Amino acid sequence: MKAPMMEYTARELMAIAAARKINDGDIVFCGTGISMLAAMAAKHINAPNSIIIFETGAIDSQLEEIPLAVADPRVMFWASANGGLADAFAIMQNPITGQRVVGILGAAQIDRFGNLNSTAIGDYTRPTVRFSGSGGACDVASCVRRTIIFMQHERRKFVSQVDYLTSPGWLNGPEGRDKAGLSGGGPEAVITNLAVMGFDDHTREMFLEAYYPGTTPTQILAHMEFTVDISRAREIQPPTARELQILREQCDPQRLILG
Amino acid sequence: MNTAPDKRMGLAEAVARFVFDGAHISIGGFTINRNPMAAVYEIIRQRIKNLHLYAHSNGQGVDELVGAGCVAKVEIAYGGSGRFAPTCICFRQAVENQKIAVEDYSNYQMTLRFLAGAMGVPFLPTRSSLGTDIIEKWGFPASMRRADPQIPDHKLLVMDNPFGAWGQTTKVVLVPAIQTDITILHAQKADANGTARIEGLTFADVEQAKSARHVIVTCEDLVEPNALRACPDRNQIPGLIVDAVVHVPFGAYPTACYRYYDYDPVYLKDYSQSARDDLQHQAYLERWIYGLQDHPALLEQVGAARLEMIKADPGTGYAKGLDRR
């Protein structure tokens, strides 16, 4: 008998695509929303020995229920240690532990080098739209080895130049971070509702790594203000039944983040 | 600072005595957890204006103060309340309409700034924000900075590592110390002397308290002095830095207080809904703050059933299975 076609949402695929990028033994720094879901999914599916940390000071959270903010008391569940911001940021910025940290971030705008804006649209002092600001995102992007970025794939969000550079990506290319005085790491992937974007090892420019079933590379380019290399693109492996089941039943049964 | 043995006070008196128009202030907590909300509502009720507010990510408390028109300037890392308001509604409107002046930092930078204030040094170094607009773009113009002796002339400074290549770092960002007139915290337990015990995450509360001229601690339980002194290694706030101790059960409501109660998703959702509309927000202020005498009156209006719903489960410290949709 032929297995029925699996139904899933773009949001579910986003969480799973990010979870697959988390390796066993990684220290995962997560922000609010879908990044927590990705961290939880990775821990349940493919990276049982990954460590989840929150900037609020919860170190190695076990997360029985999905938190709705990084300060949600749920981040303290069965943690190894509860501290404060200074403790969490030290783990992230200390080169010994920091080199194992993968940060998961989101933003309102991104450019081809993975620089992020989560502060304001328009002139900074007279913004047309104001967002939350850095929070800990700039701290993560400044120091950790790898970052994974969640974005909605829209032309106004994938821009030639961000209106405000809140969190450093590769800055202006291969030498950018070194010249600015930042450490070695940088953005590794952008996970959107349409695709997964990577960053070229040499140019540090964004390229299309994988597109979701039902989309094409050309359609994806139409959702961006700048163009990227699509020659390496392949269709992403859809979520497996096991991945979906764990995501839905163990990570977010109330569908607070999955919607 | 105050070394008196008994600093118990009513909330209205503590706010009237230590929070004044134009005060430089910080509040404890983070987004939707352990904000000193009873004190925030009392500041609003006393219609204190022109506050200069320092915040890392004190979401709900900051947004309510901004929305009620108490704030003129804010130095902040994050104006959000998690899923309830990815960008705080009143904060967003106030910045877009230029009703408040805002200066952006990162969370670690704000933490270090409070720590510098607590340590008595003019600044601390970090690598955060090199190459970004947090360094390039200033919300408080240089002229305003020079004219105001209470804020430093520079938002921050970048310098070459004076130790050469030591620490594998070529450049550092220096962030200036903060010293507030008043910092207000909500703790689970405190005694009359001001010794306080925070359970769970401390956020930057301790650094904030130690960098303040005056400190108000509100608490869930006001306990006998021996109760806390019997185990001082679990106390973070020494009594001597505290000026007023106020017993306010549910003093962090509608934000969470670990091991006591969860955040109230109903209140937070209703708040962010009404904050979107000026008339509705005015009605909110009347109904929940101006029209009520104090925090117990607010809790009574919320009702016992809702408070029971968010009661913390002893095993987890939050309301397990709470309907948060």
Side-chain angles (χ1 to χ4, degrees):
Chain A
M1 203 171 75
K2 203 179 161 208
M5 186 75 156
M6 203 108 53
E7 297 277 337
Y8 56 89
T9 65
R11 228 167 152 67
E12 288 174 331
L13 180 50
M14 287 171 82
I16 288 165
R20 288 172 181 166
K21 299 258 180 209
I22 295 168
N23 305 315
D24 209 24
D26 281 349
I27 301 170
V28 185
F29 166 96
C30 42
T32 299
I34 192 164
S35 72
M36 287 184 190
L37 202 52
M40 266 176 106
K43 208 164 163 64
H44 285 297
I45 298 168
N46 53 296
N49 297 309
S50 56
I51 304 280
I52 300 176
I53 68 170
F54 292 96
E55 63 192 281
T56 47
I59 311 297
D60 197 5
S61 301
Q62 300 303 304
L63 298 184
E64 179 201 40
E65 291 185 3
I66 187 113
L68 294 185
V70 294
D72 190 314
R74 283 155 188 79
V75 303
M76 293 182 242
F77 183 76
W78 234 236
S80 170
N82 282 334
L85 274 67
D87 303 297
F89 285 117
I91 283 188
M92 193 186 299
Q93 301 212 339
N94 176 322
I96 300 163
T97 40
Q99 284 303 298
R100 290 284 289 278
V101 174
V102 49
I104 315 184
L105 307 172
Q109 286 183 326
I110 187 167
D111 69 14
R112 68 197 163 110
F113 291 115
N115 300 306
L116 303 179
N117 174 11
S118 54
T119 304
I121 301 290
D123 180 67
Y124 172 60
T125 50
R126 264 177 279 236
T128 49
V129 185
R130 171 69 206 204
F131 297 107
S132 60
S134 159
C138 172
D139 303 306
V140 178
S142 294
C143 284
V144 307
R145 182 74 187 276
R146 303 156 57 207
T147 56
I148 295 170
I149 301 152
F150 277 112
M151 293 292 300
Q152 285 295 309
H153 221 131
E154 296 171 28
R155 212 181 151 78
R156 63 190 177 119
K157 293 176 182 276
F158 282 73
V159 294
S160 307
Q161 194 171 3
V162 293
D163 289 15
Y164 183 102
L165 202 170
T166 313
S167 303
W170 296 107
L171 293 176
N172 56 1
E175 255 92 270
R177 290 181 67 97
D178 199 39
K179 277 192 187 141
L182 292 172
S183 54
E188 179 180 279
V190 186
I191 299 193
T192 81
N193 51 320
L194 300 177
V196 175
M197 320 297 285
F199 291 88
D200 185 89
D201 286 343
H202 301 289
T203 66
R204 299 305 190 190
E205 282 190 54
M206 194 185 290
F207 69 93
L208 179 62
E209 184 179 299
Y211 50 92
Y212 293 177
T215 63
T216 66
T218 328
Q219 280 173 352
I220 288 161
L221 286 180
H223 285 81
M224 306 170 70
E225 201 178 274
F226 56 92
T227 190
V228 295
D229 174 23
I230 57 171
S231 67
R232 287 169 265 184
R234 55 177 172 76
E235 187 168 289
I236 196 171
Q237 198 67 38
T240 65
R242 177 172 172 264
E243 285 172 328
L244 281 174
Q245 187 187 4
I246 291 173
L247 185 69
R248 290 168 182 171
E249 292 173 18
Q250 290 186 42
C251 301
D252 189 11
Q254 284 192 44
R255 299 194 75 86
L256 295 167
I257 309 293
L258 287 174
Chain B
M1 178 187 163
N2 180 344
T3 56
D6 188 351
K7 293 168 240 175
R8 285 173 299 173
M9 214 175 275
L11 186 56
E13 185 192 348
V15 167
R17 196 183 288 189
F18 295 108
V19 187
F20 50 90
D21 282 2
H24 287 225
I25 184 171
S26 85
I27 58 171
F30 198 105
T31 59
I32 52 171
N33 195 341
R34 223 167 31 68
N35 285 218
M37 293 306 297
V40 163
Y41 291 142
E42 185 57 32
I43 290 170
I44 296 172
R45 201 175 286 117
Q46 293 189 17
R47 298 181 195 257
I48 294 168
K49 303 288 179 212
N50 289 320
L51 293 174
H52 185 123
L53 184 59
Y54 299 87
H56 41 79
S57 301
N58 320 80
Q60 189 66 22
V62 164
D63 203 52
E64 300 233 25
L65 287 171
V66 169
C70 302
V71 178
K73 300 190 186 83
V74 60
E75 303 190 33
I76 192 167
Y78 184 79
S81 285
R83 293 292 287 177
F84 296 98
T87 304
C88 284
I89 316 288
C90 295
F91 166 75
R92 175 183 166 165
Q93 288 168 351
V95 179
E96 288 173 6
N97 299 328
Q98 296 167 62
K99 285 187 178 158
I100 58 172
V102 62
E103 191 72 283
D104 276 272
Y105 291 90
S106 71
N107 267 341
Y108 195 33
Q109 288 176 335
M110 289 306 289
T111 306
L112 293 173
R113 296 185 65 199
F114 288 120
L115 180 59
M119 291 169 69
V121 294
F123 58 84
L124 279 172
T126 173
R127 298 162 79 179
S128 284
S129 82
L130 284 164
T132 73
D133 283 336
I134 289 180
I135 291 170
E136 297 300 323
K137 295 187 179 171
W138 292 16
F140 300 174
S143 54
M144 169 182 142
R145 289 183 166 278
R146 278 194 301 272
D148 185 346
Q150 274 191 286
I151 50 175
D153 286 355
H154 301 272
K155 174 185 180 182
L156 38 66
L157 287 165
V158 177
M159 75 177 290
D160 290 338
N161 181 356
F163 286 85
W166 181 246
Q168 292 90 50
T169 300
T170 54
K171 288 179 186 172
V172 287
V173 182
L174 312 180
V175 291
I178 293 168
Q179 275 181 333
T180 55
D181 297 308
I182 176 74
T183 288
I184 309 179
L185 308 178
H186 185 72
Q188 279 86 350
K189 294 178 176 70
D191 66 22
N193 163 248
T195 298
R197 180 174 298 171
I198 295 168
E199 296 176 9
L201 301 171
T202 50
F203 308 122
D205 283 22
V206 182
E207 293 87 347
Q208 287 175 245
K210 290 179 177 169
S211 63
R213 199 175 304 276
H214 298 295
V215 175
I216 300 174
V217 172
T218 63
C219 61
E220 291 295 323
D221 284 323
L222 183 67
V223 299
E224 290 302 314
N226 292 344
L228 297 182
R229 286 175 188 263
C231 197
D233 40 322
R234 288 175 61 200
N235 307 335
Q236 300 87 350
I237 306 291
L240 73 98
I241 66 170
V242 175
D243 296 85
V245 179
V246 187
H247 184 211
V248 194
F250 283 93
Y253 179 92
T255 69
C257 188
Y258 182 61
R259 293 206 176 119
Y260 284 73
Y261 45 90
D262 218 320
Y263 47 85
D264 183 353
V266 179
Y267 191 104
L268 293 175
K269 247 178 256 178
D270 287 351
Y271 169 83
S272 79
Q273 204 56 44
S274 59
R276 282 163 216 280
D277 178 89
D278 274 354
L279 281 176
Q280 279 190 49
H281 186 61
Q282 277 310 315
Y284 163 83
L285 290 171
E286 284 300 330
R287 170 146 196 253
W288 292 99
I289 306 171
Y290 296 138
L292 298 174
Q293 198 187 347
D294 54 17
H295 205 58
L298 179 142
L299 298 173
E300 200 182 311
Q301 191 160 290
V302 169
R306 283 256 293 285
L307 299 181
E308 183 60 28
M309 177 186 88
I310 60 168
K311 195 171 153 192
D313 164 75
T316 61
Y318 52 81
K320 214 174 149 171
L322 174 67
D323 186 349
R324 294 176 290 147
R325 288 169 296 185

